[in-house]
Amino acid sequence: MRGRIRTQGLLRAYLTWPLIMAAILVISNLSAALVSPQAGAAMAGFTFVGVLIAGWLLLYSRRQILAGLVRFSSEYSEVQDQLLREMSVPYVLADEEGRILWANREFENLIREDKGHHKFLSSFFPELNANTFYKVEDDTSLHTEFGGRFYEVGIRSILIDDSAQIRLGMDHFNGTRMYGIFLFDETQLLTYEQELNRRKPVVGLIYLDNYDEALESVEAVRRSLLAALIDRKITKYIDRMEGIVKKLEKDKYFFVIQQKYTDELRDNRFSILEDVKTVNIGNDMAVTLSIGIGMNGGTYLQNYDYARAAIDMALGRGGDQAVVKDADRIRYYGGKSQQVEKTTRVKARVKAHAMRELMDTKDKILVMGHRIGDMDCFGAAVGIWRIAQAFNKKSRIVVNDVNSSVRSIMAKFRGNPDYPEDLFATAEEAAEWADSNTMLVVVDVNRPSITEAPDLLKKISTIVVLDHHRQSAELIQNPTLSYVEPYASSACEMVAEILQYIGDGIRVKPLEADAMYAGIMIDTHNFMNQAGVRTFEAAAFLRRNGADVVRVRKLLRDKPEDYRAKAAAIQNMEIYKGAYAISECPADGLESPTVVGAQAANEMLDITGIKASFVITQINDTVFYSARSIDEVNVQVMMEKLGGGGHRTIAGAQVKEISTAEARDRLKALIDEMSEKGEI
């Protein structure tokens, strides 16, 4: 309304200009007469003519001017309406409920109806409902799909007066606010964007896991043929995707493909992983490889960094698998075969020397494992503590709580005159004790969230990680030294090797040797699981240092209630699909139900035909899975899908706020899914 009043005021001022000019002429005439009566008389005639003309303009031409303005306004309004109706962009006016009030011809053509009025927009575009308009305050945009095409929808709130309603033919509208909706076809833009994404370069790395070992199993004259066949397999695989591949070293390859081929790789689950194992010219050992792919980085360099992180993770998880790092998302494929044990100790010696150099720069050493530490975690921590003592470093072991199997041997350290009273520290005590001159050694775990004291990882800058579990997406960030070897049977085995190389003459006391020997026995299920040559060599080293098998066996004996619970779990076992043992372990009256569940899972593997065993234990509102296998099934991959992790043959997971029945159903659904995909 304000704009209309302003327009009338300007028009009125324009039409009164003749009167103003007449007044100016009269004043000028009077002024001239005062100066010179003769000049005033001469000018009077001209003034009279000017006043007559002004009066004529004011009285006669006013009606013609107004009539012309009305005709112009009407024609201009019609032009506006015509332009709006013929506009190439679909445009519609709707009320607050989303009812169509007026639409231009392009919108009517879009919905293929000549009379789309009085219908609701939500019948064509579900996103444009009353709730959407209720939230609109300023200009808003959203995206929708209609008729197989994609549109960006712009919504603008409009205040409208009565004349506009009449002009647009909206007599039925009795509100004061409506909404203008524009539809911009973005189908082609999205098509180009999608095609651009499909053509983005993806960087990948291929590492042969056991190249040297495979070559050693072939006659010298045929080794070049084995290498050539492997090269041919990899080259043909990448060429099929119109990519480029470059051999960096004898067992390392770099390749680049377009992003559109990653779907094909995922669909065939990286068939090269199994295809390369078919290369056999007399080699006793099948060749396996690992693949790391980086994609959707901001730059080519970032994609390469993603690929390097992915290949490190694939190797850290045991090899024979592909890892795709898609920005912050990580996906895993393969990993079904057992990693070949490295018989050489070169890496152990290098890591031991590196740890020695780090220890020399620090005065205090903290050793930390995972929450509710088990025997392997405790034994490895004790071994690192002994190394620190040998170098005259102040050291403590961070322990909040341990399971029942550890308390008996832990009690032998408390009050023992051979060990300081402050040997063990809680997380709070360790945080107060640590300073800028402290090194933190993390054993038997590489996931920060399940360490004994995650806050220490943020407080201490010098961190060493020693672990035998396969790595997951969650990693301890920026460790100074990382030694993660999935082929190792236990963390105690790794620490036993480090003890032999880190310094001369380090003697392990019998009680410490017992703890480490017990850790190896527990994690290998009495040397029947994941035990290699180096496992027995580590056990022999501990035996030479005073470990006693009888003492260890007494330490590992079960309580009567634990034994009964384990027997009950085995008795109630269900064999699913003829190969997977599933059971539940009672938790009532047990000090460490999860330990009993894990022991029951180990026992089930002794049953003929069982590929993997799973025991479900419920404690309060949390269900614990204990998963075990011998060699055919990678239970770590299975437990990862349930939010857990672990080792290839020993893994677990925790799920909150579900019942044991729901946990059992979820496990069966996972087995079905992975069986259909050929993952197990």
Side-chain angles (χ1 to χ4, degrees), residues 89-163:
V89 176
Y91 181 70
V92 63
L93 295 175
D95 62 14
E96 295 178 343
E97 295 180 353
R99 184 185 290 107
I100 297 174
L101 303 174
W102 179 90
N104 69 353
R105 190 165 287 109
E106 191 67 26
F107 183 83
E108 292 173 348
N109 293 335
L110 174 65
I111 63 175
R112 296 182 176 86
E113 292 194 18
D114 294 332
K115 297 181 180 180
H117 305 292
H118 313 301
K119 293 189 177 182
F120 288 92
L121 279 170
S122 57
S123 62
F124 307 105
F125 307 97
E127 298 87 350
L128 300 178
N129 50 48
N131 291 332
T132 302
F133 293 113
Y134 178 76
K135 299 175 183 177
V136 172
E137 294 181 359
D138 300 321
D139 290 355
T140 303
S141 65
L142 53 87
H143 299 273
T144 187
E145 180 184 1
F146 181 78
R149 300 190 70 81
F150 299 92
Y151 297 91
E152 179 184 358
V153 182
I155 306 175
R156 173 172 295 181
S157 177
I158 302 172
L159 287 174
I160 191 164
D161 54 34
D162 297 338
S163 63

Side-chain angles (χ1 to χ4, degrees), residues 506-511 513-514 539-547:
I506 297 180
R507 293 292 300 174
V508 180
K509 293 186 177 182
L511 183 57
D514 286 349
F541 167 76
L542 295 173
R543 289 279 285 144
R544 288 195 298 270
N545 279 270

Side-chain angles (χ1 to χ4, degrees), residues 21 47 127 133 144 199 289 323 330 406 421 472 510 513 573 584 609 650:
M21 293 302 299
T47 302
E127 298 87 350
F133 293 113
T144 187
R199 293 179 180 273
L289 54 81
V323 177
I330 298 176
V406 178
E421 294 182 359
S472 64
M573 172 188 62
E584 298 174 16
I650 302 175

Side-chain angles (χ1 to χ4, degrees), residues 356 359-360 383-395 499 502-508 512:
R356 170 69 183 273
M359 281 189 172
D360 288 342
I384 297 297
W385 179 85
R386 170 50 59 193
I387 293 173
Q389 291 298 111
F391 297 143
N392 298 317
K393 304 293 182 180
K394 298 177 183 177
S395 57
L499 274 163
I502 199 168
D504 297 330
I506 297 180
R507 293 292 300 174
V508 180
E512 299 159 8

Side-chain angles (χ1 to χ4, degrees), residues 435-501:
D435 55 26
S436 59
N437 207 24
T438 301
M439 183 174 83
L440 175 64
V441 182
V442 181
V443 296
D444 200 35
V445 62
N446 59 60
R447 295 173 59 184
S449 62
I450 61 174
T451 57
E452 197 72 82
D455 291 340
L456 287 177
L457 298 172
K458 302 175 183 177
K459 183 174 182 179
I460 299 174
S461 58
T462 303
I463 300 174
V464 176
V465 179
L466 301 175
D467 189 26
H468 69 110
H469 296 103
R470 292 189 173 196
Q471 293 177 333
S472 64
E474 182 190 6
L475 295 173
I476 295 175
Q477 298 298 319
N478 302 319
T480 310
L481 177 65
S482 179
Y483 185 22
V484 179
E485 290 294 352
Y487 69 80
S489 69
S490 58
C492 287
E493 175 189 325
M494 298 173 65
V495 173
E497 290 184 346
I498 289 175
L499 274 163
Q500 300 174 62
Y501 292 112

